[in-house]
Amino acid sequence: MATLLHLSPVFLVMSMLMVLRRPPVQAAMAGAALVALLWLVDAWMATGTAASGAALAAARDTGVLFLSTAFVIVPGLGFVILIERMGVNQALSQWVRSLGLGPADQVVFIVLGLAPLLEAMTGFGVSLIATVPLLLSLFERRAALRMALAGMAIMPWGTLGLATVIGASLAHVDAAALAAVSSLTSAPVFLVLGALSLHLAGERGARAWLLLGGFGLLFVGVLHGISRWMGPEVAGVGAGFAVALGMLVRALLLRGTAQAAPGWPRQAWPYLALALAIVLLKLLALATQWDQRWIVQGAQVAWKPLASPGVALTLVLALLLARGAGHGVALVGALAARAKRPLLTIFFFLAMSQMMVKAGFLSGLVQLLAELAPAALAPIVAAFGALAGYMTGSNVGGNAIFMPAIALLPESSHLLLAAVHNSAAGHAALGSLSIVMLVLGLARTNAQEEGELVRFGFALACLNAAAVALAALVMAGLGVF
């Protein structure tokens, strides 16, 4: 009974989001308020002497985790606002159409290359600004909308791997190790969604499947390798870029020497500048360890500001402003309006999770999970992760709800189960209602299309969770972990 009472904030959040259809920020605030109330009641009944230190620890860790998140989201959204005003993604769409690729090549290039590349660099559904108009111009409308959603759901490493970094802190595992294992638990999702996109495009021949298989293996291989050796910040960027580059080489070979390939659009230079800044800063950190000189320490989590992708985003944002891409005062106003809601949502979800951990509210859930057979744990964790990601519409918010419980499970299972949760939450978040609404807004759909796409997004979340759980069972069965 106590376990159900202590998990009631999670049930409240689920009810507000799924039944009452309230905005995520309201659900997060209500969940955090209920946790605080229950904790106060528990502390009062226990004379309150043991709760003060735990409350301070929860506040410190919430502050550190929120700062690490805000340092990426704020300059990231500033970058997004400026490239939207510059028409960068429209130029990219026109460039892709000019490549002259066949339908199967176009699907693989967009779904495994361009969409993951743009989403990994920025997050916030920015890739949809390029892919939705592009897919609508290349394919039948119903198929194009579904392919846009599938392409989004492929890349849970958005915002330069922020959710993986936060998830690693919450689960008390190494961020690079979590990213590397997550690339394996997510591998079936990449291939399944790629195959689904080819099917929607009407490309069902052996050539199309071989094309997907080859570039799918390239995507997973690069994602895993960069995650393992450099960390999650540049892994998604590298994987998307590898597929895009490989497809461009293929396009050149198919065109022959008679026609020159269209050059990279000049308007898209901010993406190149951001990629270069990320890689150079990462290499500098590996060579000099300069990122270790400033560490913000919480009670149980730590943050290295100089290792954050927010540094690269801030530098490129300053470069854009210096080159006249926007007015600083106008940007601050637009940024405040756009960043307020996601920052508040993430703050209250982080506060809710940290209070639940420090107050011991997750101990009952952890005890139930610890009693299960290993074969049953992966599907349940995948279901929890997918539910949290889909509810919150955020891979960071999804990790904040249940990932702390992973840290309390037996240490031997930490890394694999953290990867299962990270993958499931990330893929589900990118097929959630908030992403669906963004697709619908960009495509100017009608009521019937809205209902169909909402159901399709929910089906994607379920399919992705099942694929992640299956991958984890296979890895555990092979003795990989």
Side-chain angles (χ1 to χ4, degrees):
M1 190 68 179
T3 299
L4 290 177
L5 181 63
H6 287 163
L7 290 177
S8 60
V10 177
F11 301 143
L12 174 63
V13 169
M14 292 167 57
S15 300
M16 290 187 67
L17 290 170
M18 305 301 290
V19 180
L20 301 178
R21 302 294 178 91
R22 304 308 303 164
V25 63
Q26 294 183 14
M29 293 173 71
L34 182 55
V35 173
L37 178 62
L38 292 173
W39 197 1
L40 284 173
V41 171
D42 280 1
W44 175 74
M45 293 178 67
T47 72
T49 55
S52 58
L56 180 59
R60 286 177 61 191
D61 283 352
T62 298
V64 171
L65 290 168
F66 178 72
L67 285 174
S68 66
T69 304
F71 187 47
V72 177
I73 287 181
V74 172
L77 275 174
F79 178 81
V80 167
I81 291 169
L82 292 185
I83 63 171
E84 285 176 357
R85 292 177 180 176
M86 295 167 63
V88 170
N89 287 339
Q90 289 82 348
L92 277 177
S93 296
Q94 295 171 6
W95 175 68
V96 173
R97 283 195 293 270
S98 70
L99 292 175
L101 295 170
D105 300 271
Q106 290 172 343
V107 170
V108 173
F109 180 77
I110 296 169
V111 172
L112 276 181
L114 186 64
L117 172 62
L118 299 183
E119 193 60 29
M121 292 181 76
T122 58
F124 316 110
V126 170
S127 66
L128 291 171
I129 300 171
T131 59
V132 169
L134 177 59
L135 288 167
L136 286 172
S137 70
L138 295 173
F139 299 100
E140 183 269 330
R141 181 178 177 85
R142 186 170 182 271
L145 294 177
R146 283 158 176 72
M147 278 190 277
L149 201 56
M152 266 295 295
I154 275 180
M155 180 42 68
W157 275 262
T159 323
L160 301 174
L162 175 62
T164 301
V165 174
I166 297 298
S169 296
L170 294 172
H172 301 161
V173 297
D174 179 69
L178 177 59
V181 181
S182 296
S183 69
L184 300 179
T185 53
S186 289
V189 176
F190 305 141
L191 296 175
V192 167
L193 294 186
L196 176 61
S197 298
L198 284 175
H199 180 81
L200 289 168
E203 295 294 314
R204 299 159 193 171
R207 175 187 167 278
W209 302 126
L210 286 173
L211 187 71
L212 172 64
F215 279 98
L217 289 175
L218 174 64
F219 185 90
V220 174
V222 173
L223 187 66
H224 180 76
I226 296 180
S227 295
R228 184 172 181 178
W229 299 110
M230 296 186 71
E233 295 89 349
V234 293
V237 178
F241 178 77
V243 171
L245 182 61
M247 192 57 69
L248 289 176
V249 172
R250 175 178 167 79
L252 284 173
L253 294 175
L254 292 175
R255 293 166 73 98
T257 57
Q259 285 182 294
W264 178 262
R266 286 187 176 182
Q267 297 96 318
W269 70 264
Y271 281 126
L272 295 179
L274 179 57
L276 183 62
I278 294 166
V279 172
L280 289 178
L281 287 170
K282 195 69 177 178
L283 291 175
L284 179 64
L286 290 172
T288 66
Q289 302 297 312
W290 76 297
D291 56 326
Q292 305 290 334
R293 296 177 183 176
W294 183 17
I295 299 177
V296 180
Q297 186 67 52
Q300 293 179 330
V301 300
W303 171 46
K304 301 174 185 176
L306 298 178
S308 171
V311 176
L313 284 164
T314 301
L315 290 174
V316 176
L317 184 62
L319 177 62
L320 287 169
L321 290 171
R323 290 174 62 93
H327 192 276
V329 176
L331 176 63
V332 170
L335 187 55
R338 199 154 169 177
K340 178 174 64 175
R341 190 176 296 272
L343 286 177
L344 283 174
T345 302
I346 289 171
F347 173 79
F348 283 108
F349 274 130
L350 288 171
M352 172 182 159
S353 72
Q354 288 306 301
M355 285 190 288
M356 290 183 74
V357 170
K358 302 305 191 287
F361 284 11
L362 294 177
S363 57
L365 174 63
V366 171
Q367 185 177 355
L368 291 174
L369 292 176
E371 293 172 357
L372 296 174
L377 266 179
I380 291 175
V381 171
F384 280 157
L387 178 63
Y390 189 84
M391 283 193 315
T392 61
S394 163
N395 41 9
V396 176
N399 276 348
I401 292 182
F402 288 120
M403 190 68 92
I406 304 297
L408 304 176
L409 291 171
E411 189 172 349
S412 60
S413 61
H414 272 184
L415 187 56
L416 180 58
L417 292 179
V420 169
H421 189 287
N422 187 45
S423 292
H427 292 301
L430 296 178
S432 64
L433 289 174
S434 59
I435 298 298
V436 171
M437 291 302 114
L438 181 54
V439 174
L440 295 173
L442 290 168
R444 298 181 182 179
T445 56
N446 55 42
Q448 181 181 348
E449 287 178 324
E450 289 180 11
E452 290 179 353
L453 204 59
V454 167
R455 290 190 292 272
F456 180 76
F458 182 74
L460 278 186
C462 296
L463 176 65
N464 293 341
V468 169
L470 179 61
L473 290 175
V474 170
M475 292 167 66
L478 293 175
V480 179
F481 290 94

